[in-house]
Short mmCIF file of all heavy atoms in Angstrom, two decimals:
data_model
loop_
_atom_site.label_atom_id
_atom_site.label_comp_id
_atom_site.label_asym_id
_atom_site.label_seq_id
_atom_site.Cartn_x
_atom_site.Cartn_y
_atom_site.Cartn_z
N ALA H 413 27.27 57.65 -26.22
CA ALA H 413 28.64 58.19 -26.20
C ALA H 413 28.76 59.35 -27.18
O ALA H 413 29.33 60.41 -26.85
CB ALA H 413 29.65 57.10 -26.54
N MET H 441 29.27 58.33 -19.70
CA MET H 441 29.66 58.04 -21.08
C MET H 441 30.65 56.87 -21.11
O MET H 441 30.54 55.94 -21.91
CB MET H 441 30.29 59.30 -21.67
CG MET H 441 30.89 59.20 -23.03
SD MET H 441 31.70 60.80 -23.41
CE MET H 441 32.27 60.51 -25.08
N HIS H 442 31.60 56.92 -20.18
CA HIS H 442 32.66 55.91 -20.14
C HIS H 442 32.15 54.58 -19.61
O HIS H 442 32.52 53.51 -20.11
CB HIS H 442 33.80 56.42 -19.26
CG HIS H 442 34.85 55.39 -19.00
ND1 HIS H 442 34.90 54.68 -17.81
CD2 HIS H 442 35.88 54.94 -19.76
CE1 HIS H 442 35.93 53.84 -17.86
NE2 HIS H 442 36.53 53.98 -19.03
N TYR H 443 31.28 54.61 -18.61
CA TYR H 443 30.77 53.37 -18.03
C TYR H 443 30.01 52.56 -19.07
O TYR H 443 30.18 51.34 -19.17
CB TYR H 443 29.85 53.68 -16.84
CG TYR H 443 29.14 52.46 -16.30
CD1 TYR H 443 29.84 51.51 -15.54
CD2 TYR H 443 27.79 52.24 -16.57
CE1 TYR H 443 29.19 50.37 -15.06
CE2 TYR H 443 27.14 51.11 -16.09
CZ TYR H 443 27.85 50.18 -15.34
OH TYR H 443 27.21 49.05 -14.87
N TYR H 444 29.17 53.22 -19.84
CA TYR H 444 28.34 52.50 -20.80
C TYR H 444 29.06 52.22 -22.12
O TYR H 444 28.76 51.23 -22.79
CB TYR H 444 27.06 53.29 -21.07
CG TYR H 444 26.12 53.32 -19.90
CD1 TYR H 444 25.92 54.49 -19.17
CD2 TYR H 444 25.46 52.17 -19.48
CE1 TYR H 444 25.07 54.51 -18.08
CE2 TYR H 444 24.61 52.18 -18.38
CZ TYR H 444 24.41 53.36 -17.68
OH TYR H 444 23.58 53.37 -16.60
N ASN H 445 30.00 53.06 -22.49
CA ASN H 445 30.69 52.90 -23.78
C ASN H 445 32.18 53.21 -23.66
O ASN H 445 32.68 54.16 -24.26
CB ASN H 445 30.05 53.82 -24.83
CG ASN H 445 28.68 53.37 -25.26
OD1 ASN H 445 28.52 52.39 -25.98
ND2 ASN H 445 27.66 54.08 -24.79
N PRO H 446 32.92 52.40 -22.90
CA PRO H 446 34.33 52.73 -22.66
C PRO H 446 35.22 52.63 -23.90
O PRO H 446 36.29 53.22 -23.93
CB PRO H 446 34.76 51.70 -21.61
CG PRO H 446 33.83 50.54 -21.81
CD PRO H 446 32.52 51.17 -22.19
N SER H 447 34.76 51.88 -24.93
CA SER H 447 35.60 51.72 -26.11
C SER H 447 35.10 52.52 -27.32
O SER H 447 35.61 52.36 -28.42
CB SER H 447 35.69 50.23 -26.50
OG SER H 447 34.40 49.74 -26.84
N SER H 448 34.11 53.37 -27.10
CA SER H 448 33.64 54.22 -28.19
C SER H 448 34.75 55.16 -28.63
O SER H 448 35.50 55.68 -27.80
CB SER H 448 32.43 55.04 -27.74
OG SER H 448 32.20 56.13 -28.61
N PRO H 449 34.88 55.42 -29.94
CA PRO H 449 35.88 56.40 -30.39
C PRO H 449 35.68 57.76 -29.72
O PRO H 449 36.65 58.45 -29.40
CB PRO H 449 35.64 56.50 -31.90
CG PRO H 449 34.99 55.21 -32.27
CD PRO H 449 34.18 54.80 -31.09
N TYR H 450 34.43 58.14 -29.49
CA TYR H 450 34.14 59.42 -28.84
C TYR H 450 34.66 59.42 -27.40
O TYR H 450 35.27 60.39 -26.94
CB TYR H 450 32.63 59.69 -28.86
CG TYR H 450 32.04 59.93 -30.22
CD1 TYR H 450 31.59 58.87 -31.01
CD2 TYR H 450 31.91 61.22 -30.73
CE1 TYR H 450 31.04 59.08 -32.26
CE2 TYR H 450 31.35 61.45 -31.98
CZ TYR H 450 30.92 60.38 -32.74
OH TYR H 450 30.37 60.59 -33.98
N THR H 451 34.39 58.33 -26.69
CA THR H 451 34.84 58.23 -25.30
C THR H 451 36.37 58.25 -25.23
O THR H 451 36.95 58.99 -24.42
CB THR H 451 34.33 56.92 -24.68
OG1 THR H 451 32.91 56.87 -24.79
CG2 THR H 451 34.72 56.83 -23.20
N LEU H 452 37.01 57.46 -26.06
CA LEU H 452 38.47 57.36 -26.00
C LEU H 452 39.14 58.68 -26.38
O LEU H 452 40.16 59.04 -25.79
CB LEU H 452 38.95 56.23 -26.92
CG LEU H 452 38.63 54.82 -26.42
CD1 LEU H 452 38.92 53.78 -27.49
CD2 LEU H 452 39.43 54.50 -25.15
N ILE H 455 38.81 60.90 -23.24
CA ILE H 455 39.67 60.45 -22.14
C ILE H 455 41.14 60.71 -22.46
O ILE H 455 41.92 61.12 -21.59
CB ILE H 455 39.42 58.96 -21.84
CG1 ILE H 455 38.02 58.78 -21.27
CG2 ILE H 455 40.45 58.42 -20.85
CD1 ILE H 455 37.65 57.33 -21.06
N SER H 488 40.85 53.92 -16.71
CA SER H 488 41.08 54.06 -18.15
C SER H 488 42.07 55.19 -18.44
O SER H 488 42.92 55.06 -19.34
CB SER H 488 39.76 54.33 -18.87
OG SER H 488 38.96 53.17 -18.88
N PHE H 515 32.82 44.03 -17.68
CA PHE H 515 34.13 44.48 -18.15
C PHE H 515 35.16 43.35 -18.17
O PHE H 515 36.17 43.42 -18.86
CB PHE H 515 34.64 45.63 -17.28
CG PHE H 515 33.70 46.80 -17.23
CD1 PHE H 515 32.90 47.03 -16.14
CD2 PHE H 515 33.61 47.68 -18.31
CE1 PHE H 515 32.03 48.11 -16.09
CE2 PHE H 515 32.75 48.76 -18.28
CZ PHE H 515 31.95 48.97 -17.17
N PHE H 590 35.99 40.09 -31.50
CA PHE H 590 34.96 41.13 -31.44
C PHE H 590 33.57 40.54 -31.64
O PHE H 590 32.60 41.02 -31.05
CB PHE H 590 35.23 42.22 -32.48
CG PHE H 590 36.24 43.24 -32.01
CD1 PHE H 590 37.51 43.29 -32.55
CD2 PHE H 590 35.91 44.14 -31.01
CE1 PHE H 590 38.44 44.22 -32.12
CE2 PHE H 590 36.83 45.08 -30.58
CZ PHE H 590 38.10 45.13 -31.12
N ILE H 593 32.53 39.29 -28.29
CA ILE H 593 32.17 40.42 -27.42
C ILE H 593 30.76 40.90 -27.75
O ILE H 593 29.93 41.11 -26.85
CB ILE H 593 33.19 41.56 -27.57
CG1 ILE H 593 34.50 41.18 -26.88
CG2 ILE H 593 32.65 42.87 -27.00
CD1 ILE H 593 35.64 42.16 -27.11
N ALA H 598 29.38 41.43 -23.98
CA ALA H 598 30.52 41.78 -23.14
C ALA H 598 30.96 43.19 -23.50
O ALA H 598 30.37 43.84 -24.37
CB ALA H 598 31.65 40.78 -23.35
N THR H 599 32.00 43.68 -22.85
CA THR H 599 32.48 45.04 -23.11
C THR H 599 33.95 44.98 -23.48
O THR H 599 34.74 44.26 -22.86
CB THR H 599 32.31 45.92 -21.85
OG1 THR H 599 30.93 45.98 -21.52
CG2 THR H 599 32.81 47.33 -22.09
N GLU H 600 34.31 45.73 -24.51
CA GLU H 600 35.72 45.85 -24.88
C GLU H 600 36.37 46.80 -23.88
O GLU H 600 36.29 48.02 -24.02
CB GLU H 600 35.84 46.41 -26.30
CG GLU H 600 37.29 46.62 -26.75
CD GLU H 600 37.40 47.54 -27.96
OE1 GLU H 600 36.41 47.71 -28.69
OE2 GLU H 600 38.50 48.11 -28.14
N TYR H 601 36.99 46.22 -22.87
CA TYR H 601 37.62 47.05 -21.84
C TYR H 601 39.02 46.52 -21.57
O TYR H 601 39.23 45.59 -20.79
CB TYR H 601 36.78 47.06 -20.56
CG TYR H 601 37.25 48.11 -19.58
CD1 TYR H 601 37.22 49.46 -19.92
CD2 TYR H 601 37.75 47.76 -18.33
CE1 TYR H 601 37.67 50.44 -19.04
CE2 TYR H 601 38.19 48.72 -17.44
CZ TYR H 601 38.16 50.06 -17.80
OH TYR H 601 38.61 51.03 -16.94
N LEU H 602 39.99 47.11 -22.25
CA LEU H 602 41.35 46.58 -22.22
C LEU H 602 42.01 46.60 -20.84
O LEU H 602 42.78 45.68 -20.53
CB LEU H 602 42.23 47.35 -23.22
CG LEU H 602 41.78 47.35 -24.69
CD1 LEU H 602 42.87 47.95 -25.57
CD2 LEU H 602 41.43 45.96 -25.17
N TYR H 614 43.77 43.56 -30.74
CA TYR H 614 44.68 44.51 -31.41
C TYR H 614 46.05 43.86 -31.60
O TYR H 614 46.99 44.15 -30.87
CB TYR H 614 44.78 45.81 -30.59
CG TYR H 614 43.47 46.54 -30.50
CD1 TYR H 614 42.61 46.33 -29.43
CD2 TYR H 614 43.07 47.40 -31.51
CE1 TYR H 614 41.39 46.98 -29.36
CE2 TYR H 614 41.85 48.05 -31.46
CZ TYR H 614 41.02 47.83 -30.38
OH TYR H 614 39.80 48.48 -30.33
N TYR H 749 37.18 57.99 -37.34
CA TYR H 749 36.90 57.66 -35.95
C TYR H 749 37.53 56.33 -35.55
O TYR H 749 38.14 56.21 -34.48
CB TYR H 749 35.39 57.59 -35.70
CG TYR H 749 34.74 58.94 -35.48
CD1 TYR H 749 33.60 59.32 -36.17
CD2 TYR H 749 35.26 59.84 -34.55
CE1 TYR H 749 33.00 60.55 -35.97
CE2 TYR H 749 34.67 61.07 -34.34
CZ TYR H 749 33.54 61.42 -35.05
OH TYR H 749 32.96 62.64 -34.83
N ASN H 750 37.38 55.32 -36.41
CA ASN H 750 37.92 54.01 -36.08
C ASN H 750 39.44 54.03 -36.01
O ASN H 750 40.04 53.42 -35.11
CB ASN H 750 37.46 52.97 -37.10
CG ASN H 750 36.03 52.55 -36.88
OD1 ASN H 750 35.51 52.63 -35.77
ND2 ASN H 750 35.37 52.10 -37.93
N LYS H 753 40.43 55.55 -32.77
CA LYS H 753 40.21 54.59 -31.67
C LYS H 753 41.30 53.53 -31.66
O LYS H 753 41.90 53.25 -30.60
CB LYS H 753 38.84 53.92 -31.83
CG LYS H 753 38.66 52.73 -30.89
CD LYS H 753 37.41 51.94 -31.18
CE LYS H 753 37.43 50.63 -30.39
NZ LYS H 753 36.18 49.87 -30.48
N PHE H 754 41.56 52.92 -32.81
CA PHE H 754 42.56 51.86 -32.87
C PHE H 754 43.93 52.38 -32.44
O PHE H 754 44.69 51.69 -31.75
CB PHE H 754 42.65 51.29 -34.28
CG PHE H 754 41.37 50.71 -34.81
CD1 PHE H 754 41.16 50.59 -36.18
CD2 PHE H 754 40.37 50.27 -33.96
CE1 PHE H 754 39.99 50.05 -36.69
CE2 PHE H 754 39.19 49.74 -34.45
CZ PHE H 754 39.00 49.63 -35.81
N GLN H 757 44.07 52.66 -28.65
CA GLN H 757 44.15 51.33 -28.03
C GLN H 757 45.53 50.70 -28.24
O GLN H 757 46.11 50.13 -27.31
CB GLN H 757 43.05 50.42 -28.60
CG GLN H 757 41.62 50.90 -28.34
CD GLN H 757 41.18 50.75 -26.90
OE1 GLN H 757 41.83 51.29 -26.01
NE2 GLN H 757 40.08 50.06 -26.68
#
Side-chain angles (χ1 to χ4, degrees):
M441 174 186 183
H442 172 260
Y443 173 74
Y444 291 109
N445 289 287
S447 62
S448 162
Y450 292 88
T451 304
L452 289 170
I455 292 175
S488 289
F515 303 103
F590 278 109
I593 287 172
T599 299
E600 177 197 340
Y601 191 61
L602 303 189
Y614 296 93
Y749 278 131
N750 284 335
K753 169 189 169 173
F754 301 157
Q757 299 288 57

